[in-house]
Amino acid sequence: MAIDTHTTTNVPHTAALENDRLSGRAKLVLFVLCAAQFMVALDFSVLNVALPALGKDLGLSRSALQWAVTAFALPSGGFLLLFGRIADLYGRKKLFLTGLAVFGAASLLATLAWDPASFLTGRALQGLGAAVIVPTGMSLLTTTFPEGPLRDRALGISGTLLSLGFTIGMVLGGVMTDTLGWRSTMGLLAVAAAIVLFLAPGLLPESRTPQRPRLDVPGAVTVTGGLLALIYALSTAAQRGFGGVDVWGTLVAGLALLAAFVVVESRSSAPLVSLPMLRRRTVAWGNVGGLVTFSMMSTVVFVLTLYLQETLGLSSFRTGLVFGVQGVASVFAGTYAPKVIGRFGARRTLVASLLGQGLFTAALLAVGSGSGALVATVAVSVASMFHLGAIISYGVTVTSGVPDSEQGLATGLVTTTQQVGLTIGIPLLGVLATTRASLFDGVRTVLAIDVAIVVAAALLVAIGLGRRKA
C-alpha cells in the first residue's frame, strides 16, 4: 500500500492546526483513528491467553489451535496491499468505515460461534476487516495531519497505543477469560468496533489520490493468491508433512504466483510494490530485519502461552500478567529507542536489537517442565525490549535516504512487512510445538529454531547494510 501524501480531502491540513497545535476537532479525529488501530492491536493479543479454554469449549485440538491465530493473520496480511490501493482509488474514508463494519460483524460471529468452522470463519472475516482498517487508517492519519511536528506527534501517539494495545490485550484477555469466559474477548472487539463506527462518519474527512490511479488487478491477484497458498501449504506441511498432494500443489502454486507478481510489478505503470524501491539496500535489508523480528516474536508469544498454561498450569489471568510485564518493558524500550538510534544510528541499532532479541529468546531454553515462570517473564520481557528497538530502527532504516516523493512507498512497505511478519511466524514454526507428542519438547524445539533464524538474520542484515555501493 502506497501512502500518497499528495491527496485531496474535504478538510484541508490546516484544519488540524490551531496556533501550531492540535485543534479540538483534530484531537477527536486522532482519537478515532488511534482507537481503530488500538482495536486491531488488541485483536492480535487478547485471544492468545484464551486459546486453551477456547480449544476445550469448541473442540479444537492442540494442533488446530494455531488456526485461531492464522485464520485472522492470513487475510490481514494477504489483502493489505490490495485494500490500500482500492482505498487510494475509491476513497479511504469509505473503505475505512466498511472495514470497521466487517470487523464488528465478524467479531460478533466469533463471539456466538457454535463450532470450530463458525469461529474460524469469524476470525478470517476479522482479518479481512483489519486488512482494510490498517492501511486506510494510516493513510487517513498521514493525509489529515501535515508533515512536520503535528504528524510526528500523531504518529507517536498512534505507535504508543499500538504497543499498549498488545499489552492490554494480553492482560485483559487473561482477566476476561477467567471471569467471563473466552467469548467475552471477542464480544469486547464487537463493542469497540461499534463505538468507533458510530463516531467516525461525522469526524473523518474523505481522502483519495487526485490522480485516480489504475488498480493493479494482476498484481493484487498474484500477491494475494501467492501469500495465501504459500502460508496454507507450509502450515499444513507442519501438521501432516510434505507427503500430501494438496501440500505440494499449493506450495508450487504459491511460489509460482509470487514469481508472477514480481514480473507483473516490473511491467506495471501503477504497481502495488515499487521494485526499484526494493533495490535500495536500506529498504531491502531493513525490511528483512523487520520481517524476522515480527514473525519470530509472534511465534515466541504463541508457544510461551501454551507452555505457561498447559505445562506449568498457570491460569489465564496469571499468564496475562506475564505478558503484561512484557508489554510494560516494551513501552519503556519504545521511550528510549529513538535516543539510542540518534546516538548510534538506525542500522547499528537494528543489528544490535536483533542480536539481543535472539540472545534473550535463547534464555527461554532454560525453563523447565515443572517451573520456569519467573525465567520466562524476565527473558521474554527483555527480548521484547530489543524487539521494539528492532521495530523502530527498521522503520527508520527503510525510510532513511528516500526522497520525499517516495516516502509513501517506503512507509507502505514498512506496514506490509509488519503484517506479513505477523502472518507467517505462527503457521511456520508455532505449529511444530503443538504437533509434538510432548508440548514441552515442541516448545524448546521451536525456540531453538527461532533463535537461529533471528541471529542469522542479524548477521545478514549487518553484512547487507554494511556493503558500500559500487
Side-chain angles (χ1 to χ4, degrees), residues 209-465:
T209 55
Q211 294 85 3
R212 302 284 289 176
R214 180 177 60 84
L215 180 62
D216 181 15
V217 176
V221 170
T222 50
V223 71
T224 301
L227 285 172
L228 293 175
L230 187 62
I231 295 170
Y232 171 82
L234 294 174
S235 300
T236 307
Q239 288 181 314
R240 298 193 277 109
F242 284 94
V245 176
D246 60 328
V247 174
W248 278 107
T250 51
L251 182 61
V252 171
L255 292 174
L257 285 170
L258 291 178
F261 172 69
V262 174
V263 175
V264 168
E265 296 306 278
S266 67
R267 300 176 179 178
S268 175
S269 59
L272 288 176
V273 174
S274 171
L275 296 183
M277 173 72 70
L278 286 175
R279 295 191 185 104
R280 295 175 179 270
R281 61 194 179 96
T282 53
V283 173
W285 289 106
N287 276 298
V288 167
L291 183 70
V292 169
T293 193
F294 272 111
S295 60
M296 294 301 100
M297 184 52 70
S298 65
T299 301
V300 169
V301 171
F302 177 77
V303 299
L304 201 58
T305 298
L306 298 178
Y307 163 76
L308 291 172
Q309 292 191 58
E310 297 198 15
T311 300
L312 297 188
L314 267 63
S315 66
S316 300
F317 174 69
R318 291 182 65 189
T319 301
L321 289 180
V322 170
F323 291 107
V325 174
Q326 174 203 22
V328 172
S330 297
V331 173
F332 175 80
T335 303
Y336 287 95
K339 298 178 181 179
V340 175
I341 292 172
R343 181 172 181 180
F344 298 102
R347 303 179 193 186
R348 291 180 180 177
T349 304
L350 175 57
V351 173
S353 296
L354 287 170
L355 288 173
Q357 179 180 327
L359 175 64
F360 283 93
T361 299
L364 288 169
L365 294 170
V367 298
S369 59
S371 63
L374 179 60
V375 172
T377 302
V378 174
V380 76
S381 297
V382 180
S384 293
M385 293 175 69
F386 283 104
H387 168 61
L388 199 66
I391 291 174
I392 297 174
S393 56
Y394 105 82
V396 175
T397 300
V398 170
T399 55
S400 64
V402 177
D404 290 345
S405 60
E406 298 180 352
Q407 280 291 330
L409 292 172
T411 307
L413 286 172
V414 170
T415 306
T416 302
T417 295
Q418 172 185 332
Q419 295 300 310
V420 173
L422 290 169
T423 300
I424 64 175
I426 294 173
L428 295 187
L429 288 184
V431 72
L432 293 177
T434 60
T435 53
R436 286 293 193 92
S438 167
L439 176 64
F440 178 67
D441 291 340
V443 168
R444 288 177 60 84
T445 299
V446 169
L447 291 175
I449 297 173
D450 192 294
V451 171
I453 292 175
V454 174
V455 172
L459 297 177
L460 289 174
V461 169
I463 295 170
L465 293 179

Side-chain angles (χ1 to χ4, degrees), residues 60-124:
L60 277 170
S61 66
R62 183 194 293 167
S63 61
L65 278 181
Q66 59 98 8
W67 284 106
V69 179
T70 304
F72 174 88
L74 271 172
S76 69
F79 290 96
L80 186 78
L81 288 171
L82 172 61
F83 286 129
R85 180 55 75 189
I86 291 176
D88 289 342
L89 184 61
Y90 295 106
R92 298 176 179 113
K93 176 182 176 180
K94 293 177 184 176
L95 210 62
F96 180 77
L97 297 177
T98 301
L100 284 171
V102 171
F103 187 90
S107 299
L108 183 60
L109 174 60
T111 304
L112 303 175
W114 52 92
D115 60 13
S118 59
F119 174 74
L120 293 178
T121 299
R123 289 292 287 165

Side-chain angles (χ1 to χ4, degrees), residues 143-182:
T143 55
T144 300
F145 298 93
E147 187 173 355
L150 283 180
R151 183 183 293 178
D152 292 345
R153 190 184 314 164
L155 288 171
I157 293 171
S158 177
T160 301
L161 286 177
L162 281 174
S163 296
L164 286 175
F166 184 85
T167 303
I168 293 173
M170 297 301 288
V171 177
L172 198 59
V175 173
M176 295 182 73
T177 301
D178 268 3
T179 57
L180 302 174
W182 70 265

